[in-house]
Amino acid sequence: TSITSAKIQVNGVHLHYQQTGEGSHAVLLLPGMLGSGQTDFGPQLKSMNKQLFTVVAWDPRGYGKSIPPSRDFPPDFFERDAKDAVDLMQALKFKKFSLLGWSDGGITALIAAAKYPNLIHKLVVWGANASVTQEDVRIYNGIRDVSKWSEKVKKPLEELYGYKYFAETCAAWVDGISHFAENSDGNICQQLLPDIKCPTFIIHGEKDPLVPQAHAEYIHKHIKGSRLLLMPEGKHNLHLRFAKDFNREVENFLR
């Protein structure tokens, strides 16, 4: 089946999303920093079971084709994204849905699952963290300068945004997320994890250079009954690099 692409007004902004499949189980894909459905979830939009699932991938405000507005990072940007994501799915008339969140999208998904428990069916997160340590800040500053990124990662984002917006937004993101390190325990959403009641599956690539494994273990420990899968060869983009294995694991969990 084809992938439709559209915009819908939510909370005063026009949010772009892609949708495919006609299954009764609705699933929202939440991209990472600077991400969009198009750049972050190609293999999922293409290959997830269209009979079982209706798959929606969104572009958070200021990312992908959800511009304007330009992206900014106020202290509550994750909460804002969580509300936008949930309100988008409700605007699309899905009563209940599952969340698949990668990286920043994983943090957004954790917050959404905790705050809107009646709407969330199941939760899958990978490359996510509930706090920011000094070590994390060091890692983030290592990716601040996009001119040093590998061509492969840089090219699609440069094509999507133009170099200036891409570079400035990445630097603004580093500043925005680094602010959490000033909170006690570097807290982003640690206090919300015990409120997550839906079945939760945490996946982590053991070779992830951006998110140390301790983050996945912390989330697993604080969400009651959650499952943790470690992928020995997985890096941060394990859902792209090992799409077939990832899709299979996730579909089995969602069934």
Side-chain angles (χ1 to χ4, degrees):
T1 49
S2 62
I3 298 171
T4 59
S5 192
K7 279 190 168 184
I8 189 165
Q9 188 165 351
V10 177
N11 299 327
V13 294
H14 289 89
L15 295 175
H16 178 262
Y17 67 95
Q18 290 169 287
Q19 185 173 326
T20 185
E22 57 274 336
S24 58
H25 188 154
V27 176
L28 177 65
L29 307 176
L30 299 96
M33 177 263 279
L34 278 164
S36 64
Q38 175 195 333
T39 54
D40 287 15
F41 296 116
Q44 284 68 46
L45 285 163
K46 185 168 162 239
S47 306
M48 275 184 77
N49 187 315
K50 314 273 168 118
Q51 279 68 50
L52 287 180
F53 304 108
T54 296
V55 181
V56 178
W58 82 308
D59 300 357
R61 61 171 74 196
Y63 285 164
K65 294 177 181 164
S66 296
I67 302 172
S70 292
R71 182 70 183 186
D72 62 348
F73 300 94
D76 67 343
F77 73 91
F78 284 118
E79 277 82 5
R80 182 181 68 183
D81 282 350
K83 185 172 177 10
D84 281 348
V86 164
D87 291 351
L88 166 79
M89 291 301 275
Q90 292 198 291
L92 295 175
K93 304 285 187 276
F94 295 110
K95 288 189 174 54
K96 206 163 177 175
F97 45 91
S98 292
L99 300 174
L100 268 66
W102 176 39
S103 200
D104 268 21
I107 301 171
T108 302
L110 291 168
I111 293 169
K115 288 196 162 179
Y116 310 96
N118 301 334
L119 301 174
I120 310 306
H121 184 40
K122 292 185 177 184
L123 171 65
V124 183
V125 296
W126 65 104
N129 44 303
S131 65
V132 174
T133 67
Q134 287 306 323
E135 164 69 0
D136 295 326
V137 172
R138 195 187 61 73
I139 293 170
Y140 302 148
N141 277 301
I143 63 164
R144 180 189 289 272
D145 181 354
V146 300
S147 70
K148 297 185 175 139
W149 289 24
S150 79
E151 207 48 46
K152 190 165 164 249
V153 180
K154 191 166 61 178
K155 196 167 176 246
L157 292 168
E158 216 173 309
E159 283 169 3
L160 182 60
Y161 294 116
Y163 184 77
K164 186 172 183 282
Y165 188 91
F166 167 40
E168 286 173 0
T169 307
C170 180
W173 174 83
V174 172
D175 293 336
I177 198 156
S178 297
H179 278 308
F180 290 103
E182 295 158 19
N183 296 345
S184 69
D185 294 335
N187 179 47
I188 303 175
C189 62
Q190 290 170 317
Q191 76 291 355
L192 292 175
L193 299 180
D195 297 342
I196 297 174
K197 302 290 185 244
C198 65
T200 301
F201 186 20
I202 301 138
I203 305 173
H204 189 77
E206 292 188 43
K207 293 185 175 173
D208 189 333
L210 291 175
V211 179
Q213 193 169 311
H215 285 301
E217 288 165 353
Y218 182 95
I219 294 167
H220 172 48
K221 188 179 165 192
H222 291 88
I223 299 178
K224 203 171 176 230
S226 63
R227 254 183 75 194
L228 173 63
L229 171 69
L230 297 175
M231 293 177 69
E233 293 303 312
K235 293 186 180 173
H236 197 58
N237 65 345
L238 55 86
H239 66 298
L240 301 176
R241 176 85 202 285
F242 301 106
K244 211 169 156 188
D245 294 346
F246 174 87
N247 287 0
R248 186 186 65 242
E249 290 284 353
V250 167
E251 286 187 8
N252 286 341
F253 171 74
L254 292 175
R255 276 171 204 269

